[in-house]
Amino acid sequence: MSHGTIKLIEENCTSCMICARECPSWCIRIDSHTEPVRDLPAGARERTVNVLDRFAIDWSLCMYCGICVEECPFDALQWAAAPVPGTASAAGLTHEIDDLR
Amino acid sequence: MDAAVSEQNRAVVADQWRTTVAAAKDEGYDYFDWLGAVDQIGRADDFEVLLRLVDLDAERAVLLRTAIPRDDPRLDSIADIFPGAGWHERESGELFAITFTGGDQRRLLLPEDYVGAPLRKDTVLAARAGIDWPGAKEPGGAPSRRRMVPPGVPEPEIWGDRDPSAPQPQPDEIAGSAVGGRVRRRRR
């Protein structure tokens, strides 16, 4: 597997922030909120789950070190072969969830 | 080179650096591998300078290590014994602000107008202290109960947003607070 880009497997992400904290170039931005878990059995205590709102990697900052891929405890980040496509502006190098799938 | 090379460690007094290196070369360790430095702040007020020499014929190597004080770091250059060490001395020299006496004092990697010694552990990534760190948020977006600081940026109470009337922070205090993670209560 060549290291062209990093893919997000959204279903696995728990918004735990570990990748954003470990990233040496500060290129991962995450927004999330909590929602109560529905359909709990009667009498069970209330529980909440984190819901990912935004996951963005700024490829103009990323140095492709792969620390985020290594550190993710839920295997939500993965190397992919296709390189990041060129853009006309630096802002275009920030990829959101839809671009990272 | 395989793992069967026998490695040896030798502590050297800084005054005898040149003579020890020359003696090791005569002993057969005539292949210069690398020279580097380590900031020992928090453990000792020293820089440790390390030099690895290899005896290719006998398949043995020696690591020479010496300590020089942080407040006046100077060591004799060995570039005339091993010319290849010159670049390594220039690199460690500029990154730690160590003077290799008798060596080449020109910059190797840093720009001419760069101020500071970036590999000293009390060097603060000042540009980062001013922008928000993406890792400061908690999962779920709830306001954080513990304050987190990124590695390389010291705790604000010690270096940034500090009490102006407090005494100046010591270098080892800055280095100790810049390891990242949870903001600790000041130990004083």
Side-chain angles (χ1 to χ4, degrees):
Chain A
M1 171 65 70
S2 68
H3 293 182
T5 186
I6 292 163
K7 234 172 51 166
L8 172 70
I9 302 153
E10 204 187 336
E11 309 82 76
N12 291 355
C13 179
T14 65
S15 325
C16 71
M17 302 298 295
I18 288 176
C19 54
R21 287 176 183 160
E22 294 294 326
C23 175
S25 48
W26 298 17
C27 72
I28 301 175
R29 302 239 161 214
I30 297 171
D31 288 336
S32 58
H33 68 278
T34 53
E35 276 179 9
V37 176
R38 278 164 295 174
D39 305 326
L40 286 174
R45 70 179 170 85
E46 264 184 41
R47 304 171 110 194
T48 56
V49 64
N50 294 333
V51 180
L52 188 65
D53 297 321
R54 179 181 184 224
F55 190 102
I57 299 181
D58 187 344
W59 296 111
S60 68
L61 298 176
C62 177
M63 57 180 183
Y64 301 86
C65 65
I67 289 175
C68 53
V69 179
E70 288 289 315
E71 292 294 328
C72 179
F74 308 104
D75 291 343
L77 292 168
Q78 198 177 73
W79 283 110
V84 177
T87 57
S89 72
L93 288 171
T94 300
H95 283 191
E96 304 288 338
I97 293 175
D98 289 341
D99 311 306
L100 293 169
R101 277 201 186 106
Chain B
M1 188 155 302
D2 57 36
V5 176
S6 85
E7 298 274 350
Q8 216 195 97
N9 243 309
R10 279 184 209 169
V12 181
V13 183
D15 297 345
Q16 293 159 15
W17 183 245
R18 270 183 62 84
T19 48
T20 313
V21 172
K25 188 179 185 183
D26 293 339
E27 232 179 283
Y29 296 101
D30 54 1
Y31 178 87
F32 169 79
D33 191 1
W34 54 265
L35 179 144
V38 181
D39 190 348
Q40 300 280 34
I41 193 170
R43 271 176 282 186
D45 276 336
D46 291 328
F47 292 117
E48 187 172 39
V49 178
L50 302 113
L51 166 69
R52 186 170 185 266
L53 299 174
V54 186
D55 181 346
L56 292 170
D57 298 326
E59 297 197 355
R60 55 185 186 151
V62 67
L63 190 67
L64 303 175
R65 49 211 308 169
T66 189
I68 50 176
R70 280 188 105 253
D71 50 7
D72 181 28
R74 46 186 74 244
L75 191 65
D76 290 335
S77 170
I78 54 154
D80 53 332
I81 304 169
F82 290 103
W87 276 18
H88 295 240
E89 287 182 351
R90 282 168 70 188
E91 184 184 9
S92 292
E94 66 180 3
L95 297 177
F96 292 93
I98 295 172
T99 308
F100 286 92
T101 315
D104 190 339
Q105 304 296 326
R106 286 175 300 160
R107 286 251 158 119
L108 182 66
L109 303 170
L110 296 176
E112 287 300 328
D113 55 354
Y114 188 93
V115 179
L119 281 193
R120 288 192 178 205
K121 286 187 186 158
D122 54 348
T123 297
V124 170
L125 302 172
R128 292 204 151 178
I131 50 175
D132 70 315
W133 177 48
K137 264 185 255 169
E138 288 294 316
S144 173
R145 258 178 283 128
R146 11 172 240 172
R147 291 169 53 219
M148 303 273 293
V149 285
V153 178
E155 294 164 21
E157 285 81 358
I158 291 180
W159 186 79
D161 187 19
R162 51 188 289 275
D163 175 7
S165 62
Q168 283 295 316
Q170 294 299 308
D172 57 342
E173 206 180 353
I174 296 175
S177 83
V179 294
R182 206 175 152 174
V183 172
R184 283 159 293 271
R185 194 159 294 191
R186 200 164 183 186
R187 304 152 288 266
R188 249 193 199 171

